[in-house]
Amino acid sequence: MIDFTQEEKDFFMSEALKEAQKSLDKAEIPIGCVIVKDGAIVGRGHNAREELNQAIMHAEVMAIQEANRTIGNWRLLDCTLFVTIEPCVMCSGAIGLARIPKVIYGASNQKFGGAGSLYDILRDERLNHRVDLETGVMEKECAEIMQNFFRQSRERKKEAKRLEKLEAIQEM
Ligand SMILES: [Zn+2]
């Protein structure tokens, strides 16, 4: 069993939040992830779908790829994946493929969550890989950065519409 003190959990989740901030800085959905082995971060990732124009470049996928390179193994045994938001169906599948034994996430994702909300892929008894899952670490901070993003993007859209209208009026 891999165990963390509350202090360690908060520390690694705040590192995942720093990753989420990188997405936010590029006006992307702010989700961040770190993978930890023997007390050290071996992989980092942030949602970079827009930045890289890659549909599958979620935070967890980027972090798994980096951890694979760092460790030199596709199996991420003895690793813990910290992610700010509940993994989606694809990332929950990827976590299983990478054989990650433990996942800790901050806030749940009622719309797309594949680790307890819509599906429970990490703990599905029909699959041969089951994951020790913990939720709610720095939940408020992880949810807040998402809510701020969606509020700002609604405001940006509203502002764009307002400018469009103004232009239309000026052209009349
Ligand atoms: Zn995902």
Side-chain angles (χ1 to χ4, degrees):
M1 270 314 276
I2 310 161
D3 270 323
F4 293 94
T5 64
Q6 191 60 45
E7 209 179 359
E8 288 170 329
K9 284 183 224 171
D10 289 349
F11 172 76
F12 289 120
M13 193 58 83
S14 62
E15 288 298 307
L17 273 165
K18 278 185 202 163
E19 287 297 310
Q21 185 63 43
K22 289 184 191 169
S23 307
L24 192 64
D25 291 344
K26 288 164 187 153
E28 305 217 34
I29 297 174
I31 300 176
C33 177
V34 296
I35 296 175
V36 177
K37 184 180 161 82
D38 301 329
I41 293 173
V42 293
R44 293 177 168 272
H46 59 277
N47 173 38
R49 189 173 58 178
E50 307 283 346
E51 177 191 350
L52 301 176
N53 253 326
Q54 290 184 23
I56 65 167
M57 197 46 80
H58 288 185
E60 299 93 318
V61 168
M62 188 189 281
I64 287 170
Q65 288 182 334
E66 194 178 299
N68 285 151
R69 280 195 299 271
T70 305
I71 295 175
N73 199 327
W74 63 267
R75 288 187 195 85
L76 300 179
L77 305 174
D78 306 315
C79 289
T80 300
L81 182 143
F82 288 80
V83 62
T84 56
I85 299 295
E86 177 183 353
C88 71
V89 168
M90 173 187 74
C91 292
S92 298
I95 286 163
L97 292 176
R99 306 286 189 268
I100 295 171
K102 190 174 173 89
V103 168
I104 298 178
Y105 72 68
S108 66
N109 184 345
Q110 298 300 323
K111 277 191 180 159
F112 300 106
S117 290
L118 286 189
Y119 298 90
D120 200 358
I121 291 166
L122 300 182
R123 290 176 296 192
D124 192 318
E125 293 191 348
R126 292 167 299 178
L127 299 172
N128 63 358
H129 182 76
R130 250 156 294 162
V131 177
D132 177 21
L133 180 64
E134 189 177 330
T135 68
V137 173
M138 296 185 79
E139 182 173 10
K140 193 171 152 269
E141 291 84 348
C142 294
E144 239 164 37
I145 188 172
M146 287 285 270
Q147 286 154 1
N148 290 342
F149 169 79
F150 286 112
R151 190 171 49 240
Q152 281 164 12
S153 92
R154 275 194 302 272
E155 277 161 14
R156 271 196 303 272
K157 270 182 205 150
K158 239 193 234 166
E159 180 63 11
K161 257 196 193 148
R162 195 182 69 85
L163 290 176
E164 229 171 68
K165 251 189 208 162
L166 265 182
E167 265 171 36
I169 289 168
Q170 280 164 357
E171 276 165 19
M172 273 203 276

